[in-house]
Amino acid sequence: MLNIILTNTAGTPIYEQIKGQIKSAIFAGELQDGEQLPSIRQLAKDLKISVITTMRAYTDLEQEGFVVNIQGKGCFVQFQNPDLLREHKLREVEESLSAAISAARMAKLSETELLEMFKLLLKEDDFE
Amino acid sequence: MNNILELNGVSKTFAKFALKDVSFALPEGFIMGFIGRNGAGKTTTIKLILNMLKKDSGIIRVFGKDHAQSEQEIKQRIGVVMDQPFYVEEWTPADLEKALLPFYAQWDPAKYSAQLEEFELDRQKKIKAFSRGMKLKLMIAAALSHQADLLILDEPTSGLDAVARNELMEILQTFISDENKGILFSTHVTSDLEKIADYITFIQDGRIVYSDIKDNLLEKYSLVKGPLGILSPAQKKLIIGYQERSVGFEGLLDRADLREMPASILAEPGNLDEIVLRFNLGKRTHE
């Protein structure tokens, strides 16, 4: 499921907005590996923008290793660079942990208490 | 990539107006917006393409063929919607079909019926009772029915409300979903129709100011604003359509010239409306 919401007020070029939102959808798992994206001309029509703008977004995404364009078949999500996705996920984990540390500081938890809590949660989750 | 339409150094001189060295190319599969003020030379250019006016010099190719030598063959494959319609107001869409049928070898009656139905046009109703938007759709229905590969629309948005313009955009984008087709439309007011244009050709006083990918044009120019008294005369000269008001100045700037400006200047992305306005105010051509 892919949603793309364009704005004319952000000052960000349209092709950048499309790229950003497709990338976000990939990172969020809304678009799966191998999933087909709308055709360039279909997406241009749906968004009421030019074909060239859409082409540019798709070409950039291909160069960055998020999608692959297969002539005559269409554009598919493909993680040519799995590290990219893993890196993004690692950053998400770091951010969540940092947020937990800030909250612990506010609650005046000690390091030991925080670690205890963390271990307990891991256990409850059957994390391996 | 093949050009579906190509003009090279086309000139035409009239008593009071001249079209000078007009060149542009529309590749197959794309939409070009032909913009400029009334009287800038848009309709003249279109009439030259269609050989309704004879050019003085230059080359015009449609589908890769000379527009005059292969005129009959080319016209079978062009759908034209002019500001002045070619039908009689007393006619019905059914009469229009009878009139067009002998001219087009590829005329498809079933396609015409389907298009009339899709556009919700009554086959037996007199055209004079149609709204501007309905007349436009009728012209497009006719073009689609003779299997046109190139649509040329002169001022299609004039007199259309927002709903009809939106419908027109959909029709044009559906047409262009076939990569072998092309669309040239002219307009003197920049409207929402430009959103779907891949290429922009901007004409002013019979000369082409700019013809390229629309996104490149929008990235080339910035709108600049700032307080009075911060610019030197040399800096002011760089600004296209420079205007001073009691509360500050504004104008258009080639982004490459931004480094020549004081840091306090406000620069925003340009839009087509402002670009056309500023060039007209500045009356200077940039290549």
Side-chain angles (χ1 to χ4, degrees):
Chain A
M1 188 63 216
L2 174 65
N3 285 303
I4 297 180
I5 316 290
L6 298 179
T7 163
N8 289 319
T9 50
T12 314
I14 301 287
Y15 77 94
E16 287 279 7
Q17 293 184 41
I18 297 171
K19 264 173 67 180
Q21 293 184 35
I22 290 179
K23 275 195 224 172
S24 302
I26 291 173
F27 287 142
E30 289 158 10
L31 284 175
Q32 303 292 328
D33 197 5
E35 197 168 332
Q36 185 165 15
L37 292 175
S39 78
I40 287 173
R41 280 161 201 274
Q42 185 60 48
L43 187 63
K45 191 181 169 202
D46 290 344
L47 294 172
K48 291 206 177 78
I49 57 169
S50 81
V51 169
I52 285 186
T53 305
T54 319
M55 272 180 177
R56 185 162 172 192
Y58 277 21
T59 310
D60 279 12
L61 284 169
E62 182 166 37
Q63 278 166 3
E64 291 174 29
F66 290 94
V67 303
V68 59
N69 287 306
I70 301 171
Q71 191 70 34
K73 282 200 163 171
C75 188
F76 298 85
V77 175
Q78 192 182 76
F79 305 137
Q80 289 167 331
N81 185 355
D83 293 348
L84 217 60
L85 191 66
R86 183 170 163 75
E87 214 171 275
H88 182 83
K89 292 278 175 208
L90 284 179
R91 205 171 326 125
E92 263 183 359
V93 173
E94 273 175 21
E95 277 166 15
S96 306
L97 288 176
S98 298
I101 293 169
S102 305
R105 191 173 288 129
M106 300 254 281
K108 300 200 183 339
L109 287 186
S110 70
E111 186 182 330
T112 323
E113 283 171 317
L114 181 61
L115 285 172
E116 281 302 318
M117 190 188 279
F118 188 52
K119 280 181 194 157
L120 194 68
L121 284 172
L122 286 177
K123 209 174 193 176
E124 279 177 11
D125 194 63
D126 283 330
F127 191 86
E128 284 182 33
Chain B
M1 200 154 39
N2 295 325
N3 289 328
I4 199 161
L5 174 66
E6 195 176 337
L7 281 77
N8 214 324
V10 174
S11 297
K12 172 80 181 173
T13 306
F14 299 95
K16 288 186 175 167
F17 175 77
L19 209 62
K20 288 193 196 102
D21 197 23
V22 168
S23 302
F24 62 83
L26 171 63
E28 237 169 44
F30 297 105
I31 302 177
M32 178 181 278
F34 190 27
I35 62 174
R37 294 181 70 185
N38 276 331
K42 300 186 300 292
T43 303
T44 303
T45 305
I46 288 174
K47 285 184 172 167
L48 288 171
I49 294 169
L50 299 171
N51 209 25
M52 292 161 70
L53 283 172
K54 302 284 171 216
K55 62 184 188 284
D56 295 341
S57 57
I59 297 166
I60 301 177
R61 288 183 186 282
V62 187
F63 310 118
K65 298 186 169 115
D66 183 86
H67 76 133
Q69 278 170 20
S70 307
E71 184 176 352
Q72 294 316 317
E73 186 192 337
I74 286 167
K75 284 201 171 160
Q76 292 287 323
R77 296 175 59 198
I78 302 186
V80 182
V81 179
M82 297 295 277
D83 214 10
Q84 274 134 13
F86 54 80
Y87 51 76
V88 179
E89 290 272 309
E90 288 294 323
W91 285 357
T92 64
D95 295 329
L96 183 69
E97 179 171 30
K98 269 183 241 155
L100 294 178
L101 203 110
F103 290 102
Y104 292 109
Q106 302 279 331
W107 185 274
D108 180 349
K111 172 91 175 157
Y112 186 62
S113 290
Q115 285 300 334
L116 291 182
E117 194 154 321
E118 193 191 322
F119 295 165
E120 294 176 325
L121 300 170
D122 187 337
R123 180 180 268 277
Q124 302 303 340
K125 205 168 164 183
K126 283 187 178 171
I127 298 174
K128 67 178 178 189
F130 285 180
S131 69
R132 176 81 175 84
M134 289 161 81
K135 287 176 182 169
L136 179 70
K137 282 195 280 187
L138 179 60
M139 295 296 97
I140 293 174
L144 298 179
S145 303
H146 70 76
Q147 327 280 344
D149 292 317
L150 172 64
L151 280 186
I152 297 182
L153 306 103
D154 195 17
E155 300 282 354
T157 55
S158 68
L160 292 192
D161 60 24
V163 176
R165 285 201 303 273
N166 191 55
E167 225 179 331
L168 175 63
M169 275 200 266
E170 292 246 340
I171 294 168
L172 297 184
Q173 287 199 302
T174 304
F175 180 77
I176 209 74
S177 64
D178 179 339
E179 292 169 28
N180 300 314
K181 299 189 188 283
I183 300 172
L184 175 76
F185 71 84
S186 76
T187 173
H188 68 281
V189 280
T190 49
S191 63
D192 31 14
L193 198 60
E194 274 89 40
K195 284 197 283 195
I196 62 167
D198 298 294
Y199 290 81
I200 289 290
T201 295
F202 173 23
I203 189 167
Q204 180 172 279
D205 299 331
R207 289 172 185 272
I208 302 296
V209 178
Y210 182 94
S211 183
D212 196 0
I213 293 170
K214 178 185 67 186
D215 294 355
N216 294 351
L217 176 65
L218 294 177
E219 278 169 29
K220 185 172 162 67
Y221 295 104
S222 288
L223 268 173
V224 290
K225 295 170 187 173
L228 296 175
I230 62 164
L231 296 184
S232 69
Q235 287 172 326
K236 281 182 194 174
K237 269 187 83 174
L238 288 173
I239 297 178
I240 303 153
Y242 179 83
Q243 259 188 333
E244 277 185 6
R245 303 194 192 282
S246 60
V247 290
F249 71 83
E250 49 181 29
L252 193 72
L253 187 71
D254 192 317
R255 213 161 281 189
D257 291 334
L258 203 55
R259 59 174 181 273
E260 310 288 333
M261 294 289 149
S264 59
I265 199 168
L266 177 73
E268 293 173 332
N271 61 58
L272 284 175
D273 257 333
E274 279 290 336
I275 291 170
V276 172
L277 170 74
R278 294 293 153 189
F279 267 99
N280 278 307
L281 285 172
K283 285 280 178 196
R284 50 179 281 201
T285 49
H286 255 228
E287 197 45 66

